[in-house]
Amino acid sequence: MNKEEENSFITLLQGMLEVGESAKGITVGNDDRILDAEGLFFKFFSHCCTAFYLRRKTIIGEIKNINVNFLDVPSILIITRAAIESYIVFNYVYLQPTNSDEANFRYWAWEYTGTFQRQRIMAVLPESKEKLKHEKKVLDKIRDALSETGTFKSLTTKQQNNLVNGGNWTIPVSTGDQNYYPSWSKLAKLAGLNDKMAFEYYGFLSEYAHSTSWSIMQLRDPNFVHVRDGFIDTALKSLMSIMALMIKAYIKFFNLDMDIVKKNSDLNRAIEVWSFVSTH
């Protein structure tokens, strides 16, 4: 990244902080969807900060007389993937619904499956066991509310059972006589990302997240030292493009005043430039 791009990265991070602050004080409502929206936003922001920091090298000092000082490329790539997924979930749950019934379904389905998975955790401490008991009651309430939505009722019995048993929280896509659950790449496409970002680059990042043999072959390739800076550069630029989209998404969901962005010419320009990169 050149100096101008580094400044744009920092400008977007600052913009996220300002947008996040402007949403404070909004009424929470009857469930945790506002708090969870803020949580996804903060998770995404944290990933961006960490990836930007890691580009400065990981330095620990001496371990058994060896000076640990290296560029942690795999972590930057894996964090980039996690950040993209945070945006995909935010977009899917909070921006894509076309009516209140679908909005309730998407949020409750996402919340339900996450809470369902927590029930599988083996609790050891007494307080942990009590927490799981409490969450079981919460889970039952979410399931009851979820099952009353029109969107849930429109699913097949098999799809309903899949969701109730902690399966896929997304809405199946219909193509002709077939129904399928969208992959993460397909969800990225539904969130507005272009094919290169949604399929090619996301797939590349997934190779590192899943520790495939291909990713390891890259790391041990003698020529990797010559391409690693390019990998980092691409990851950070990808994060800038998603940051721009996340800022727009957060403003739209919370119905915030666009003057937050417009009054800062550098931020406004960075958002317009970088949001274009990942969607066209």
Side-chain angles (χ1 to χ4, degrees):
M1 296 177 73
N2 58 40
K3 190 63 179 177
E4 181 181 355
E5 290 166 342
E6 287 185 3
N7 289 338
S8 292
F9 198 106
I10 294 171
T11 295
L12 288 166
L13 286 177
Q14 183 63 41
M16 288 193 69
L17 285 176
E18 293 175 3
V19 168
E21 284 293 319
S22 67
K24 285 188 174 181
I26 292 177
T27 304
V28 172
N30 297 325
D31 55 29
D32 290 339
R33 73 183 67 197
I34 297 298
L35 297 176
D36 286 334
E38 293 175 341
L40 275 170
F41 189 76
F42 177 72
K43 178 177 181 290
F44 175 81
F45 175 79
S46 300
H47 289 323
C48 293
C49 289
T50 300
F52 191 66
Y53 180 82
L54 285 176
R55 92 196 198 287
R56 302 174 181 176
K57 290 189 176 183
T58 297
I59 302 175
I60 299 179
E62 289 191 358
I63 298 180
K64 292 185 177 181
N65 300 318
I66 298 176
N67 187 35
V68 177
N69 183 337
F70 66 100
L71 273 171
D72 189 358
V73 179
S75 290
I76 292 174
L77 299 179
I78 292 168
I79 289 170
T80 298
R81 179 179 185 264
I84 293 174
E85 290 180 348
S86 296
Y87 171 72
I88 291 172
V89 173
F90 188 96
N91 187 285
Y92 180 88
V93 173
Y94 294 105
L95 291 192
Q96 291 182 34
T98 57
N99 54 59
S100 59
D101 183 89
E102 187 181 336
N104 286 334
F105 174 85
R106 289 193 184 215
Y107 172 69
W108 287 335
W110 174 67
E111 183 185 32
Y112 178 85
T113 53
T115 308
F116 186 94
Q117 294 302 322
R118 281 170 62 93
Q119 287 294 306
R120 296 181 175 181
I121 297 175
M122 184 178 293
V124 178
L125 299 176
E127 54 266 33
S128 298
K129 293 180 179 180
E130 284 301 314
K131 186 172 183 178
L132 285 179
K133 286 182 181 179
H134 170 72
E135 288 187 350
K136 178 61 171 65
K137 295 178 181 179
V138 173
L139 186 68
D140 292 339
K141 289 181 179 179
I142 300 172
R143 184 194 61 226
D144 292 342
L146 183 61
S147 63
E148 288 301 314
T149 63
T151 307
F152 181 86
K153 293 176 181 178
S154 70
L155 300 176
T156 65
T157 301
K158 182 178 180 180
Q159 291 165 350
Q160 290 177 352
N161 290 335
N162 176 278
L163 176 55
V164 169
N165 291 318
N168 204 302
W169 48 269
T170 58
I171 299 174
V173 177
S174 298
T175 54
D177 296 331
Q178 294 185 332
N179 293 319
Y180 67 92
Y181 291 102
S183 65
W184 277 101
S185 288
K186 181 61 177 179
L187 289 173
K189 184 66 177 176
L190 292 173
L193 303 187
N194 59 35
D195 286 348
K196 188 173 183 62
M197 177 74 78
F199 296 98
E200 294 180 30
Y201 192 60
Y202 180 81
F204 166 75
L205 296 175
S206 296
E207 295 290 330
Y208 279 84
H210 297 148
S211 298
T212 66
S213 61
W214 179 68
S215 67
I216 304 306
M217 283 189 285
Q218 277 196 326
L219 290 175
R220 62 182 179 82
D221 189 321
N223 292 318
F224 181 74
V225 67
H226 302 300
V227 299
R228 64 184 183 185
D229 288 343
F231 282 11
I232 294 172
D233 191 65
T234 300
L236 295 180
K237 287 179 180 177
S238 298
L239 286 177
M240 281 198 283
S241 67
I242 305 299
M243 270 195 281
L245 294 178
M246 180 61 100
I247 290 173
K248 284 185 172 182
Y250 206 69
I251 289 174
K252 182 177 181 179
F253 174 69
F254 283 102
N255 196 26
L256 302 176
D257 192 338
M258 279 298 295
D259 284 344
I260 303 168
V261 171
K262 292 179 179 179
K263 68 181 181 181
N264 185 330
S265 60
D266 290 338
L267 176 60
N268 190 43
R269 181 176 180 277
I271 289 174
E272 292 308 312
V273 170
W274 288 102
S275 62
F276 183 87
V277 169
S278 59
T279 56
H280 293 81

